[in-house]
Amino acid sequence: MTNAEIKAMATKYVINTYGERKLAFVKGEGPYVWDADGVKYLDFLGGLAVNGLGHCHPDVVAAIREQAGTLIHVSNLYYIEPQVQLAKLLIDNCDMHQCFFCNSGAEANEAAIKLARKHAKDQARTDAYEIITMENSFHGRTMATVTATAQTRYHAGFEPMLEGFKYVPYDDLGATEAAISGKTCAILVEPIQSEGGVNVPSDGYLQGLRELCDNYNLLLVFDEVQTAMGRLGTLFGYQSYGVTPDIIAMAKFLGGGVAIGAMLTTKHIAESFSPGTHAATFGGNPLASAAAHATLKTVIGEKLGDNAVNMGAYLTGQLMRLKGKYPIQEVRGRGLLLGLVMSVDATALAAKCIENGLITICTNNNVLRFLPPININKALVDEAVSIVEKSLAETI
Ligand SMILES: *Cc1c(COP(=O)(O)O)cnc(C)c1O
């Protein structure tokens, strides 16, 4: 089928929640994807922060093939070997003690929200159910996680939102402390807000949240759905900032393209998720766990976090060289979660980049966001930057 034929069928048969699109990708290899008309693109968005090893990484493909021919799914009524191997590898590489597996970022956050409430109840703080979240955050689209997402445009038409969430500006410790009451049980924050415009924390902000949580007996929950898996340089984003949360939600890159999410926490807090309190039918099933284990093993084994730091610095430097010539404010972010901040609208620029063969996205009107595979090299960065430069010349 061609792009146009796929589009026509999608328009007819698939609910239009994603709006009109032009392309359908049908093949991927490493950092490249091909559309249905055979055109090749350099993918610096990576399936929205999912394809962190690029497309069809051979180790991930091999693990999926082998597991698919052995056992695809069993329920969590039984122990699952690939799941425990994945759990051990995650826990061996962070400060958490146990994992709960699910299928997406929203579900990982949903688990975190439920666990934070349950933990407060278990401490006899029966009125403490409120969670403080940040303006411009993004935590998912289920009722609880979209309520946690403090952006009214995601709420419109779905009211009433869930009870028990309070919003404060990101990076504002004073407003956060003022919002804390006897009803508060947790603070939920992305170490870097990605969807919200690649907003990075000021020095001391995450540490300050940790201190507030310690002082007021609250849980600190990090939504690391985009920041984990080496993207910021360390396996988990919190390790880059030296601030340890109580609960971590992760997904996206974890499965190397296969749907899986995880919530990690300490042994003590995990006890609140006692038998029967929470579940997910597909959570950590053999196929998804095998894919995630192969992905994680590659990220750790090849020290790809270091590469993310090096390539992030190189990409930042190359983009900043364009600053004199074009209305560029800055490059924000950390590792390979980067935003080219323009002083003008960047919607047309993002569209032009795709036309010129580079997949990226415009966030928050004026931010061109890059979430490339973290195993890229300088030549690929050069290729991307030359397309950005050409697209700037054609649109600005
Ligand atoms: C994408 C994202 C989510 C939601 O993940 P889904 O898998 O789409 O449910 C949650 N939090 C953050 C920070 C995200 O980037």
Side-chain angles (χ1 to χ4, degrees):
M1 293 169 79
T2 63
N3 285 325
E5 285 164 354
I6 296 170
K7 177 178 171 177
M9 269 176 80
T11 306
K12 184 157 184 208
Y13 295 112
V14 182
I15 296 177
N16 192 25
T17 52
Y18 301 101
E20 192 189 337
R21 288 144 285 164
K22 287 201 178 79
L23 306 176
F25 295 119
V26 294
K27 192 179 92 164
E29 192 184 322
Y32 296 105
V33 280
W34 286 261
D35 73 16
D37 296 345
V39 179
K40 182 182 175 184
Y41 301 82
L42 178 59
D43 188 358
F44 263 41
L45 191 57
L48 270 167
V50 168
N51 299 305
L53 297 178
H55 294 271
C56 301
H57 188 281
D59 293 356
V60 179
V61 171
I64 292 172
R65 284 211 166 108
E66 191 182 334
Q67 191 59 49
T70 307
L71 183 70
I72 294 177
H73 176 82
V74 287
S75 79
N76 284 295
L77 295 174
Y78 312 95
Y79 295 116
I80 297 172
E81 187 178 357
Q83 182 189 110
V84 299
Q85 284 165 343
L86 170 61
K88 181 175 187 322
L89 194 54
L90 282 167
I91 295 307
D92 281 350
N93 286 283
C94 71
D95 295 280
M96 303 292 108
H97 306 143
Q98 290 188 322
C99 314
F100 172 83
F101 291 103
C102 51
N103 310 286
S104 67
E107 267 185 83
N109 282 319
E110 187 86 25
I113 290 163
K114 287 181 72 176
L115 180 59
R117 286 186 174 195
K118 180 73 165 48
H119 182 67
K121 301 274 186 308
D122 289 350
Q123 291 191 315
R125 299 171 61 219
T126 41
D127 281 341
Y129 58 86
E130 247 174 33
I131 297 175
I132 295 173
T133 68
M134 311 305 158
E135 287 168 14
N136 288 317
S137 57
F138 186 82
H139 299 297
R141 301 291 200 126
T142 61
M143 275 312 301
T145 59
V146 83
T147 304
T149 296
Q151 299 196 54
T152 48
R153 67 195 171 105
Y154 290 122
H155 298 176
F158 299 113
E159 301 88 349
M161 307 314 287
L162 245 64
E163 234 192 284
F165 291 88
K166 243 190 188 172
Y167 309 136
V168 297
Y170 178 76
D171 211 36
D172 187 337
L173 289 172
T176 305
E177 181 158 23
I180 295 172
S181 74
K183 286 186 169 177
T184 316
C185 70
I187 295 174
L188 167 61
V189 66
E190 298 153 83
I192 292 179
Q193 292 187 328
S194 183
E195 309 282 340
V198 192
N199 304 317
V200 294
S202 303
D203 288 347
Y205 172 60
L206 297 172
Q207 184 62 48
L209 291 180
R210 179 70 270 174
E211 282 158 18
L212 287 176
C213 287
D214 292 343
N215 294 343
Y216 291 92
N217 190 20
L218 314 175
L219 298 185
L220 181 59
V221 184
F222 277 2
D223 178 346
E224 292 230 29
V225 170
Q226 284 203 30
T227 54
M229 298 295 286
R231 185 163 293 283
L232 303 192
T234 47
L235 189 62
F236 290 87
Y238 85 83
Q239 293 158 331
S240 292
Y241 289 101
V243 176
T244 307
D246 301 296
I247 300 177
I248 297 169
M250 64 187 299
K252 292 207 165 122
F253 183 1
L254 176 58
V258 176
I260 184 168
M263 186 204 65
L264 283 57
T265 189
T266 62
K267 182 89 180 68
H268 171 61
I269 298 165
E271 280 165 10
S272 289
F273 262 0
S274 52
T277 51
H278 196 52
T281 298
F282 288 109
N285 87 354
L287 188 70
S289 294
H293 186 267
T295 305
L296 187 62
K297 204 172 146 207
T298 304
V299 170
I300 296 168
E302 295 183 6
K303 295 191 167 48
L304 292 179
D306 294 347
N307 192 59
V309 170
N310 294 336
M311 289 305 116
Y314 184 63
L315 175 56
T316 302
Q318 294 305 96
L319 289 170
M320 286 306 282
R321 286 176 50 177
L322 306 174
K323 186 176 164 166
K325 245 172 118 184
Y326 299 101
I328 290 170
Q329 280 178 25
E330 59 171 333
V331 177
R332 273 203 303 253
R334 186 162 187 143
L336 282 172
L337 198 177
L338 294 173
L340 174 67
V341 185
M342 305 290 298
S343 27
V344 295
D345 190 282
T347 320
L349 175 62
K352 185 58 83 178
C353 282
I354 295 176
E355 225 179 282
N356 288 328
L358 175 70
I359 304 180
T360 161
I361 195 172
C362 172
T363 307
N364 227 14
N365 304 318
N366 68 327
V367 181
L368 198 65
R369 193 156 52 124
F370 298 101
L371 291 155
I374 65 168
N375 56 2
I376 52 168
N377 56 32
K378 279 190 172 179
L380 291 165
V381 171
D382 290 341
E383 191 180 331
V385 172
S386 76
I387 296 176
V388 171
E389 184 168 14
K390 177 170 188 270
S391 306
L392 279 164
E394 288 169 6
T395 49
I396 302 294

Coordinates of all heavy atoms in Angstrom, one line a residue, residues 104-107 109 138-141 190 194-195 223 225-226 251-252, ligand 1:
S104 N 2.3 0.5 29.9 CA 2.5 1.8 29.3 C 2.9 2.8 30.4 O 2.9 2.5 31.6 CB 1.1 2.3 28.7 OG 0.2 2.5 29.8
G105 N 3.2 4.0 29.9 CA 3.6 5.1 30.9 C 2.4 5.5 31.8 O 2.6 5.7 33.0
A106 N 1.2 5.6 31.2 CA 0.1 6.0 31.9 C -0.2 4.9 33.0 O -0.5 5.3 34.2 CB -1.2 6.1 31.0
E107 N -0.1 3.7 32.7 CA -0.3 2.6 33.7 C 0.8 2.6 34.8 O 0.4 2.3 35.9 CB -0.3 1.3 33.0 CG -1.7 0.8 32.5 CD -1.5 -0.6 32.0 OE1 -1.5 -1.6 32.8 OE2 -1.4 -0.8 30.7
N109 N 2.3 5.3 35.9 CA 1.9 6.4 36.7 C 0.7 6.1 37.5 O 0.6 6.5 38.7 CB 1.7 7.7 35.9 CG 3.0 8.3 35.5 OD1 3.9 8.4 36.3 ND2 3.1 8.8 34.3
F138 N 3.2 16.1 31.9 CA 2.5 15.1 31.1 C 2.7 13.8 31.7 O 3.8 13.3 31.9 CB 2.9 15.1 29.6 CG 2.0 14.1 28.8 CD1 0.8 14.6 28.3 CD2 2.4 12.8 28.7 CE1 0.0 13.7 27.6 CE2 1.6 11.9 28.0 CZ 0.4 12.4 27.5
H139 N 1.5 13.2 32.1 CA 1.6 11.9 32.8 C 0.8 10.8 32.2 O 0.8 9.6 32.7 CB 1.2 12.0 34.3 CG 2.1 13.0 35.0 ND1 3.5 12.8 35.2 CD2 1.9 14.2 35.6 CE1 4.0 13.8 35.9 NE2 3.1 14.7 36.1
G140 N 0.0 11.1 31.1 CA -0.8 10.1 30.5 C -2.2 10.5 30.2 O -2.6 11.6 30.5
R141 N -3.0 9.6 29.7 CA -4.4 9.9 29.2 C -5.5 9.1 29.9 O -6.6 9.3 29.6 CB -4.5 9.7 27.7 CG -3.5 10.5 26.9 CD -3.8 12.0 26.9 NE -3.1 12.6 25.8 CZ -3.7 13.3 24.9 NH1 -5.0 13.6 25.0 NH2 -3.1 13.9 23.9
E190 N 8.1 15.1 36.7 CA 9.1 14.6 35.7 C 10.4 15.3 36.0 O 10.4 16.6 36.0 CB 8.7 15.0 34.3 CG 7.3 14.4 33.8 CD 6.7 15.3 32.8 OE1 7.0 15.2 31.6 OE2 5.8 16.1 33.1
S194 N 9.3 16.8 29.3 CA 9.6 16.7 27.9 C 8.4 17.3 27.0 O 8.6 18.2 26.3 CB 9.8 15.2 27.5 OG 10.2 15.1 26.2
E195 N 7.2 16.7 27.1 CA 6.1 17.1 26.3 C 5.8 18.6 26.6 O 5.4 19.4 25.7 CB 4.8 16.4 26.7 CG 4.9 14.9 26.7 CD 4.8 14.3 25.3 OE1 4.4 14.9 24.3 OE2 5.2 13.1 25.2
D223 N 8.2 10.7 37.5 CA 7.8 10.1 36.2 C 9.0 10.1 35.3 O 9.3 11.1 34.7 CB 6.6 11.0 35.6 CG 6.1 10.5 34.3 OD1 6.8 9.7 33.7 OD2 5.1 10.9 33.9
V225 N 9.2 8.2 32.5 CA 8.8 7.5 31.3 C 9.7 7.9 30.1 O 9.9 7.1 29.3 CB 7.3 7.8 31.1 CG1 6.9 7.3 29.7 CG2 6.4 7.1 32.1
Q226 N 10.1 9.2 30.1 CA 11.1 9.6 29.0 C 12.5 9.7 29.5 O 13.4 9.6 28.6 CB 10.6 10.9 28.4 CG 9.4 10.8 27.6 CD 9.2 11.9 26.5 OE1 10.2 12.5 26.1 NE2 8.0 12.1 26.2
A251 N 8.5 3.6 31.1 CA 7.9 2.9 30.0 C 8.7 3.2 28.8 O 9.9 3.1 28.7 CB 6.4 3.2 29.9
K252 N 8.0 3.6 27.7 CA 8.5 4.0 26.4 C 9.8 3.2 26.0 O 9.6 2.1 25.6 CB 8.8 5.5 26.5 CG 7.5 6.3 26.5 CD 7.5 7.7 25.9 CE 6.1 8.2 25.7 NZ 5.8 9.4 26.4
Ligands
LIG1 C1 4.5 9.5 27.1 C2 4.5 9.8 28.6 C3 3.5 9.2 29.5 C4 2.4 8.4 29.0 O1 2.9 7.2 28.5 P1 1.9 6.2 27.6 O2 2.7 5.0 27.3 O3 1.6 7.0 26.4 O4 0.7 6.0 28.4 C5 3.7 9.5 30.8 N1 4.6 10.4 31.3 C6 5.5 10.9 30.5 C7 6.6 11.8 31.0 C8 5.5 10.7 29.1 O5 6.4 11.2 28.3

